[in-house]
Amino acid sequence: MAPAAVLVPAALASFVLAFGTGVEFVRFASLRPLLGGRAPEPGTPDAQGWLAALRDPGVLGALAQDLGLLVLFMGQHSLMATEPVKAWAARRFGVLYRSLYVACTALALQVLMRCWEPVRGGPALWDARAEPWATWVPLFCFVLHTVSWLLIFSILLVFDYAELMGLKQVYYHVLGLGEPLALKSPRALRLFAHLRHPVCVELLAVLWAVPRLGPDRLLLAVLLTLYLGLAHSLDQHDLHYLRAQLRRKLDVLALPHRPDPGPGPALAR
């Protein structure tokens, strides 16, 4: 295993790349569609119908490119999470495997965002950027996106963000504390095995709650919805465990704050 002087910078570099990619994904998934401008006037060349779009080589070419990018991202994200690949990578990279997985996922997402081809002149499943919806619908979507991202960041913190990013594995290894997962209960390990994406509902809100749902955004929303849905296999045992953990956290928050009694009589004298 590499020394700490190599492990720690590698894990930090992976974390910085993933964090920056997450910020970029917020811009890609939320700011770009929410600030995309007003709808074209009826009768203009931009107001293209679905039948015309399906016969347009430019639209089909853009959708084919976007589909390839989504397949690349989902393939990388799933392949590296399979047991044979995880076992091989764990033998080769040790505690850096999680950091490697996070870095590769961030790079695949960077490729998707930078090479994504929007369909600018295509039709839309819905378009609420024209009056009388031009103000209220984008405002509602903006509020919903803001709440969803705040919930996503909060949930990631609850699910141990440092461990998800691979930092905790390296930290424990350097200090000789072993593997973090080995310290978790069997019920928690069972939940993690079934819950691939703890922020599924919030991401679905971000994907679908947009003022205009054009062909490329529809493709993104449909495929990622299917991917997120197929990754889950929660059962009653997992739901009971989640409810029990939620009750424990609420009980901790409900405990009255006990003020510091200060020094005892002996120290006071």
Side-chain angles (χ1 to χ4, degrees), residues 128-151:
R129 298 176 303 164
E131 296 297 341
W133 314 106
T135 300
W136 299 108
V137 172
L139 179 61
F140 171 77
C141 292
F142 178 82
V143 172
L144 184 59
H145 279 229
T146 301
V147 173
S148 296
W149 285 117
L150 290 175
L151 288 174

Side-chain angles (χ1 to χ4, degrees), residues 194-217:
H194 291 173
L195 186 64
R196 287 280 308 280
H197 301 280
V199 293
C200 179
V201 176
E202 294 79 8
L203 278 177
L204 293 183
V206 169
L207 290 172
W208 289 98
V210 289
R212 182 181 189 274
L213 192 70
D216 59 300
R217 182 69 182 206

Side-chain angles (χ1 to χ4, degrees), residues 230-249:
L230 293 175
H232 286 270
S233 57
L234 295 179
D235 55 22
Q236 290 296 325
H237 296 287
D238 297 321
L239 295 179
H240 290 321
Y241 175 74
L242 283 173
R243 282 197 291 266
Q245 293 301 309
L246 178 60
R247 283 196 298 268
R248 288 181 57 189
K249 294 181 183 298

Side-chain angles (χ1 to χ4, degrees), residues 13-249:
S14 173
F15 171 78
V16 171
L17 174 62
F19 186 84
T21 301
V23 174
E24 182 72 10
F25 185 70
V26 173
R27 185 192 67 84
F28 173 80
S30 292
L31 297 183
R32 181 184 293 179
L34 293 178
L35 304 177
R38 302 183 64 84
E41 295 295 332
T44 62
D46 287 337
Q48 188 180 25
W50 284 98
L51 292 179
L54 293 177
R55 293 193 293 264
D56 188 339
V59 173
L60 294 179
L63 292 178
Q65 177 175 323
D66 296 340
L67 176 61
L69 293 170
L70 284 168
V71 171
L72 173 66
F73 170 73
M74 293 185 295
Q76 174 276 325
H77 200 60
S78 297
L79 181 62
M80 291 190 68
T82 58
E83 290 302 326
V85 175
K86 288 172 63 176
W88 175 84
R91 291 193 302 268
R92 297 295 300 270
F93 299 98
V95 294
L96 280 179
Y97 166 70
R98 183 67 190 181
S99 295
L100 176 67
Y101 176 74
V102 168
C104 291
T105 299
L107 289 174
L109 189 56
Q110 285 282 353
V111 171
L112 183 148
M113 293 186 294
R114 295 181 182 278
C115 299
W116 187 263
E117 188 65 33
V119 180
R120 303 187 185 281
L125 194 61
W126 65 72
D127 194 340
R129 298 176 303 164
E131 296 297 341
W133 314 106
T135 300
W136 299 108
V137 172
L139 179 61
F140 171 77
C141 292
F142 178 82
V143 172
L144 184 59
H145 279 229
T146 301
V147 173
S148 296
W149 285 117
L150 290 175
L151 288 174
I152 287 172
F153 296 145
S154 301
I155 292 171
L156 291 178
L157 290 177
V158 170
F159 271 80
D160 202 337
Y161 187 66
E163 186 172 346
L164 290 174
M165 294 294 102
L167 290 174
K168 193 171 184 178
Q169 289 85 336
V170 173
Y171 173 77
Y172 271 45
H173 174 78
V174 170
L175 296 183
L177 301 177
E179 172 62 35
L181 285 178
L183 304 177
K184 298 187 182 298
S185 67
R187 297 180 69 188
L189 294 176
R190 188 177 188 275
L191 172 67
F192 292 159
H194 291 173
L195 186 64
R196 287 280 308 280
H197 301 280
V199 293
C200 179
V201 176
E202 294 79 8
L203 278 177
L204 293 183
V206 169
L207 290 172
W208 289 98
V210 289
R212 182 181 189 274
L213 192 70
D216 59 300
R217 182 69 182 206
L218 179 62
L219 178 67
L220 178 73
V222 168
L223 288 187
L224 288 186
T225 298
L226 293 174
Y227 181 69
L228 291 171
L230 293 175
H232 286 270
S233 57
L234 295 179
D235 55 22
Q236 290 296 325
H237 296 287
D238 297 321
L239 295 179
H240 290 321
Y241 175 74
L242 283 173
R243 282 197 291 266
Q245 293 301 309
L246 178 60
R247 283 196 298 268
R248 288 181 57 189
K249 294 181 183 298

